[in-house]
Amino acid sequence: MAKDIWYGGLDPEIDYVLPDAPGDPEMREGVSLWLFEENGEFALPRVGLDAVGGQWNSRRCDMNVAFRDGRVLRQSKHMSAVSPKGGDGRDRVIGAGSLRFECLEPFRKWRVSFEEELYEGSVQEQIRGDFRLFADSAPDVSHALVPVKFEAELTMAAPAWTQDYRGDALDRLSEGDRIDAGLMGYGWRIEQTFNAVGELVVGGEARAFKATGDRVHRQSVRPMGAFRGHCWQAANFSDGRAFGLCIYPPREDGSTYNIGYICQDGRMYPAKARGDQAAWLRKIMPSGDDVAVELESELGITRIEGITALSTFHMTNPGMKGMNNQQGGVRYTWDGVSAYGMIERSSPAELCEVQA
């Protein structure tokens, strides 16, 4: 596979981190990952950090751990920034408190670690609204805190899927497309599937693991006023194939933001989700929802089966304009090959039926 396609059209140096606060107080640097133990025993369905220019030294950190039996560990709070300098003096670290993401090699290897106390509950409690925890709200003190330590090294499994909404690329968009691009972020965004090895320690009990997942690195401004929901899915497979998609509900005229890719035989194929087959969030259930993917590309129609598992729910999420929000895992099957991958989706509460 040619080395340059790994960068998705971006400068490889861009995958390092900002050394200082950007001049624009609305500009943010964000990093996040979705990680799935290879046998589906547990998942980290989003560990994320957002550093915003206007409050650069106080960073929002979100951590979710989900287990096969429905147990959920969660924390969401602001923590103090750490130095961006790696051991060699390069700006390769973005972190807050004990949460630390480090770029070991741009577009190739990252390392992540944290050691925090997380609140312990269940996905059923989240669905009932009894386990709600958001960084900008008072903490949920009705649940016990459990010490959690996590570290993993991520090796990218497929080339980067990038969105570059800067300068001329942004100017060429129609007004509707420009608004929707803003929901992804005015700036640049990297998304890349990975394989990982690491260790998770919960309450003193350690387990080494192998995993797959999806990571994001972005520097952008994100005006969310036009947000109307979304469906985002991605996974990579043991045979080297991977896919990703993000689609928003249609506007009144039927148009929408709909982007995706298929990685197959060392090539990246631009793709779109079949809108009538999108897995919109309509059923609120811990697992078992059918979220099959159909992607249109020059390969034709590619269908990937999917059943939800390892879910977390954030009901009436203030960060999603009060919508219901699912961040979880899916067991995907593509031509008989199965792997765990990610799903994040949100919908207005009135469109969702609780089936827990």
Side-chain angles (χ1 to χ4, degrees):
M1 185 178 295
K3 185 175 181 180
D4 57 0
I5 75 167
W6 280 80
Y7 309 140
L10 301 181
D11 183 335
E13 296 289 302
I14 212 169
D15 206 18
Y16 290 114
V17 306
L18 291 173
D20 301 295
D24 185 342
E26 299 299 320
M27 174 66 72
R28 71 178 63 203
E29 180 159 36
V31 289
S32 58
L33 65 83
W34 281 252
L35 180 144
F36 305 93
E37 194 275 335
E38 62 181 354
N39 299 308
E41 293 298 322
F42 70 87
L44 277 69
R46 192 172 186 274
V47 175
L49 181 151
D50 281 296
V52 182
Q55 51 182 41
W56 191 247
N57 292 319
S58 178
R59 298 171 172 184
R60 174 172 174 159
C61 301
D62 290 273
M63 288 166 274
N64 298 309
V65 185
F67 295 90
R68 187 191 293 273
D69 63 1
R71 180 187 183 199
V72 170
L73 307 174
R74 176 160 169 78
Q75 185 60 275
S76 180
K77 63 181 181 179
H78 291 273
M79 296 194 290
S80 299
V82 304
S83 169
K85 302 298 182 184
D88 60 355
R90 293 210 65 165
D91 298 310
R92 59 174 73 245
V93 177
I94 180 168
S98 69
L99 178 58
R100 178 184 173 100
F101 292 84
E102 182 176 6
C103 176
L104 303 178
E105 182 183 353
F107 292 86
R108 291 290 185 175
K109 288 185 180 293
W110 277 69
R111 181 185 294 129
V112 61
S113 61
F114 72 78
E115 186 171 3
E116 293 288 333
E117 288 189 324
L118 308 188
Y119 288 99
E120 181 177 21
S122 69
V123 65
Q124 289 84 0
E125 289 179 297
Q126 289 185 316
I127 290 171
R128 293 198 303 267
D130 296 335
F131 184 25
R132 289 170 47 79
L133 191 65
F134 303 104
D136 298 315
S137 305
D140 184 340
V141 295
S142 66
H143 289 73
L145 286 164
V146 178
V148 177
K149 183 178 180 181
F150 166 77
E151 58 184 1
E153 185 166 308
L154 320 178
T155 300
M156 303 307 128
W161 179 39
T162 59
Q163 293 80 52
D164 189 357
Y165 298 126
R166 299 175 295 175
D168 292 344
L170 190 61
D171 293 341
R172 289 193 294 268
L173 297 179
S174 68
E175 181 62 21
D177 288 344
R178 182 184 175 90
I179 291 171
D180 280 356
L183 301 176
M184 187 66 74
Y186 296 137
W188 58 261
R189 177 183 180 275
I190 296 165
E191 182 175 343
Q192 211 166 5
T193 60
F194 62 78
N195 297 312
V197 294
E199 183 179 67
L200 175 68
V201 185
V202 178
E205 180 181 344
R207 61 178 88 190
F209 64 80
K210 295 181 180 179
T212 61
D214 199 52
R215 68 105 180 186
V216 171
H217 184 194
R218 67 185 345 136
Q219 291 175 9
S220 59
V221 175
R222 296 185 71 193
M224 297 295 285
F227 187 73
R228 57 188 184 275
H230 76 308
C231 179
W232 172 23
Q233 297 172 262
N236 66 284
F237 295 77
S238 59
D239 61 7
R241 291 180 297 177
F243 80 92
L245 69 93
C246 186
I247 182 171
Y248 303 155
R251 309 180 190 96
E252 290 185 1
D253 64 2
S255 62
T256 192
Y257 186 88
N258 182 354
I259 60 172
Y261 75 93
I262 293 171
C263 180
Q264 184 168 301
D265 299 324
R267 289 186 57 189
M268 293 286 282
Y269 297 89
K272 291 187 176 183
R274 294 185 67 186
D276 59 344
Q277 298 294 317
W280 307 117
L281 181 59
R282 296 293 184 262
K283 300 175 184 177
I284 307 296
M285 52 196 297
S287 61
D289 195 8
D290 183 351
V291 291
V293 172
E294 289 194 358
L295 290 169
E296 295 181 270
S297 71
E298 65 178 85
L299 298 172
I301 303 296
T302 299
R303 182 175 175 86
I304 304 166
E305 305 297 331
I307 299 293
T308 58
L310 301 160
S311 289
T312 68
F313 284 91
H314 313 299
M315 307 296 279
T316 59
N317 185 346
M320 294 285 186
K321 294 182 66 177
M323 297 184 186
N324 291 340
N325 176 219
Q326 179 185 18
Q327 293 174 326
V330 175
R331 183 168 177 80
Y332 291 107
T333 302
W334 187 351
D335 294 338
V337 180
S338 294
Y340 285 90
M342 63 82 64
I343 188 167
E344 182 185 86
R345 50 186 182 161
S346 56
S347 290
E350 62 269 21
L351 298 180
C352 300
E353 178 184 356
V354 174
Q355 298 187 2

